[in-house]
Amino acid sequence: QVQLVESGGGSVQAGGSLRLSCAASEYTYSRGRMAWFRQHPGKEREGVAFIYTRDGSTYYTDSVKGRFTISQDNAKNTVYLQMNSLTPEDTAMYYCAARTSPMYGGDWYLETLYNIWGQGTQVTVSS
């Protein structure tokens, strides 16, 4: 059963914008803990942003603060990642992730905590 479906990746020039979407099952979305990770070629996956859909609280990694915004649409069980002012360093495969059990919010960036993953969507930023 597919529970997370990402969309919205693509190619853009530096300075441009993209919006990623992650559609979740009702159960997964209701558990509240959803995040975006990315993986640069040859590197480990890193946490980009997190949202607790039950109260809208968010966390971001430092490199995207002020440029990326994670948001939610409760009617669609969907989480978004709006990415502005993109740079070539943002080029990566982006993954949506969810955790269906309680966790400490401060650990949101630890990929091992997430038990559900999407298939990934490629984002390429050219200079």
Side-chain angles (χ1 to χ4, degrees):
Q1 181 181 1
V2 178
Q3 299 192 52
L4 295 175
V5 178
E6 300 117 330
S7 62
S11 297
V12 66
Q13 289 190 328
S17 299
L18 285 172
R19 188 179 78 158
L20 306 183
S21 300
C22 174
S25 68
E26 184 173 357
Y27 172 79
T28 298
Y29 188 87
S30 70
R31 308 315 291 174
R33 304 159 189 91
M34 298 185 67
W36 286 97
F37 284 75
R38 66 185 179 186
Q39 188 167 23
H40 296 95
K43 295 188 177 181
E44 294 185 354
R45 206 173 294 184
E46 66 168 344
V48 176
F50 170 91
I51 190 166
Y52 185 52
T53 60
R54 294 187 178 184
D55 66 9
S57 57
T58 59
Y59 298 96
Y60 296 91
T61 192
D62 286 345
S63 63
V64 308
K65 287 180 181 177
R67 300 189 300 123
F68 291 12
T69 302
I70 190 169
S71 62
Q72 65 190 86
D73 185 332
N74 295 337
K76 297 181 178 179
N77 296 332
T78 297
V79 169
Y80 302 98
L81 185 68
Q82 178 67 44
M83 305 184 295
N84 299 328
S85 302
L86 286 162
T87 73
E89 288 69 36
D90 296 314
T91 295
M93 183 71 79
Y94 284 72
Y95 297 90
C96 182
R99 178 178 169 92
T100 55
S101 57
M103 64 182 279
Y104 171 55
D107 292 336
W108 70 270
Y109 57 91
L110 299 175
E111 67 168 303
T112 55
L113 295 182
Y114 296 86
N115 57 313
I116 302 172
W117 291 84
Q119 79 283 2
T121 185
Q122 178 67 38
V123 171
T124 302
V125 185
S126 58
S127 59

